[in-house]
Amino acid sequence: MNAVMCHAPHDYRYEDVPIPHAEHGEIVIKVNACGVCASDIKCYTGAPLFWGDDTRQPYVETPVIAGHEFIGEIVEIGHGAVENNDLKVGDRAIAEQIVPCWECRYCKTGKYWLCQVHNIFGFQTVVNGGMAEFMKFPADALVHKVPSDMPIENAAMIEPLACSIHAVQRGEIEFGDTVVIAGAGTLGLGMIGAAKLKNPGLLISIDLLPKRLEAAKKLGADITLNPSNTDVVQEILDMTDGYGCDVYIEATGHPKAVEQGLHMIRKAGTFVEFSVMREPVTVDWTIIGDTKELNIHGSHLGPYTYPLAIDYIQKGLIDVSHIVTHQLQLKDYLTAFDMVKNGKDSIKVQLIPS
């Protein structure tokens, strides 16, 4: 089969590799689509978070098939793989991004998404990703059935939307809250759609690109702000009688957005840090502590939210069709990477293997 194989930074190759087969407890799918994530681009361009530096160990193991935003049709089921779910050959299915070990402290206490071993599809050799014609779900994977009538481009949005929903949950939004979501890429737009379901008093999207702000409006943003032509911190303060927003979710991946959020959030507000940063970010921690006594929440992956993402997409409660802008053939992966890296004319770019 054809697959996009990661070997090193800037060294991803379109290769012919063996088709995987299901052994005990495993499932093999024919991949319908696989999205290109911003984290894929950070990995491709050599970010230390993935490849290591003087302060951290490499996260990526190579060679590995890239991709973690996949959806596909089951073509093979190993013995014992369907004991705890209702799956059969021909069903459409998705596996959660992480394959837990189920043995560490986190897994045994229900926090499987923080698994100490932390095998993520598309980054470790034991869990090859979805930028291929076929892929295998290991026996320990968390697999969910997806409605067969869901459009492929929407179904491939389940993983990022699940992450967005978890970030919004971490924001602990209350009725009437002023909520700011910084970044209107795939994840930020999913957060807009999810936060709208919480009925905040005011939902604000911040981004540098007008096209993305237009999509934010369609997904439920009450107000959109562009930092290139607006002092967004002052705008938020003016809207809130000088207090600041109640909840700020950072989804840009840019250090400036972290600092921006600390200045526009109110005292005792909730700051959610979602982004995968390319490099370490430095801020004034006095603002977090003595000045504002903020609630700082991290957000990682989409634990327990895949059923919600599937349900919200299927019912049209979050219209992810506003997010998917391009679909390219698998062999055109470098073009797709460039589109995501540039970001001006695209939001979500997906690769189609067939």
Side-chain angles (χ1 to χ4, degrees):
M1 69 173 184
N2 295 313
V4 176
M5 189 72 73
C6 166
H7 288 271
H10 297 286
D11 185 8
Y12 283 48
R13 308 173 197 171
Y14 189 62
E15 297 183 351
D16 185 24
V17 301
I19 295 173
H21 291 286
E23 299 185 10
H24 184 83
E26 299 176 338
I27 293 174
V28 173
I29 65 167
K30 177 179 174 59
V31 179
N32 300 135
C34 185
V36 180
C37 178
S39 63
D40 291 319
I41 303 307
K42 290 183 175 72
C43 184
Y44 175 71
T45 56
L49 174 66
F50 296 94
W51 298 101
D53 56 18
D54 293 338
T55 62
R56 68 180 88 199
Q57 294 295 314
Y59 178 66
V60 180
E61 299 172 355
T62 58
V64 61
I65 299 173
H68 58 267
E69 295 182 6
F70 47 79
I71 187 69
E73 177 184 321
I74 297 176
V75 294
E76 187 180 1
I77 297 176
H79 179 72
V82 294
E83 292 176 354
N84 297 317
N85 50 43
D86 180 25
L87 292 170
K88 63 184 183 300
V89 170
D91 284 344
R92 187 178 292 169
I94 187 173
E96 296 196 18
Q97 186 179 355
I98 190 168
V99 180
C101 74
W102 302 114
E103 295 294 333
C104 71
R105 177 192 301 178
Y106 302 109
C107 288
K108 288 182 176 179
T109 56
K111 298 179 177 64
Y112 68 88
W113 69 103
L114 300 175
C115 174
Q116 188 78 347
V117 178
H118 219 78
N119 285 324
I120 298 286
F121 281 110
F123 294 110
Q124 281 81 43
T125 54
V126 294
V127 281
N128 278 308
M131 292 185 188
E133 293 182 89
F134 297 87
M135 71 176 295
K136 181 167 67 176
F137 299 161
D140 288 331
L142 289 154
V143 183
H144 301 275
K145 186 175 179 179
V146 177
S148 60
D149 60 346
M150 184 182 292
I152 292 297
E153 61 270 25
N154 291 356
M157 281 292 300
I158 292 169
E159 186 277 332
L161 183 59
C163 293
S164 295
I165 292 170
H166 180 57
V168 169
Q169 290 175 330
R170 295 287 285 161
E172 300 176 346
I173 297 169
E174 297 286 348
F175 295 122
D177 277 353
T178 295
V179 178
V180 174
I181 297 177
T186 298
L187 281 304
L189 289 171
M191 292 172 197
I192 290 289
K196 192 66 176 180
L197 298 179
K198 290 279 192 175
N199 289 312
L202 197 60
L203 182 56
I204 302 162
S205 174
I206 297 177
D207 200 273
L208 292 167
L209 299 176
K211 180 176 181 178
R212 298 188 175 206
L213 293 175
E214 290 172 12
K217 275 281 191 182
K218 293 176 182 177
L219 281 155
D222 299 306
I223 295 172
T224 60
L225 298 175
N226 190 329
S228 65
N229 53 39
T230 302
D231 183 341
V232 293
V233 173
Q234 191 58 51
E235 280 287 318
I236 298 301
L237 293 175
D238 291 344
M239 289 179 198
T240 57
D241 297 324
Y243 288 99
C245 60
D246 301 287
V247 178
Y248 181 90
I249 304 178
E250 194 288 304
T252 70
H254 196 285
K256 284 292 184 184
V258 179
E259 184 179 3
Q260 164 188 277
L262 293 177
H263 289 295
M264 73 168 58
I265 195 170
R266 67 165 171 83
K267 294 178 180 179
T270 298
F271 187 118
V272 179
E273 180 51 55
F274 174 84
S275 290
V276 177
M277 294 291 180
R278 182 179 175 85
E279 274 123 13
V281 179
T282 301
V283 297
D284 181 0
W285 276 73
T286 304
I287 297 174
I288 297 169
D290 184 67
T291 305
K292 291 190 174 181
E293 194 175 294
L294 298 177
N295 302 301
I296 305 295
H297 293 175
S299 181
H300 179 57
L301 303 184
Y304 304 108
T305 56
Y306 278 70
L308 293 175
I310 293 167
D311 186 50
Y312 294 162
I313 292 173
Q314 183 69 358
K315 291 179 178 176
L317 294 174
I318 300 178
D319 189 354
V320 294
S321 67
H322 297 304
I323 303 175
V324 181
T325 57
H326 295 82
Q327 290 185 318
L328 283 70
Q329 294 182 29
L330 185 64
K331 65 181 178 63
D332 297 323
Y333 69 99
L334 288 177
T335 300
F337 286 7
D338 286 340
M339 292 177 70
V340 175
K341 183 180 177 183
N342 181 279
K344 292 183 179 179
D345 299 316
S346 67
I347 303 177
K348 175 51 63 187
V349 180
Q350 295 174 343
L351 294 170
I352 309 299
S354 58

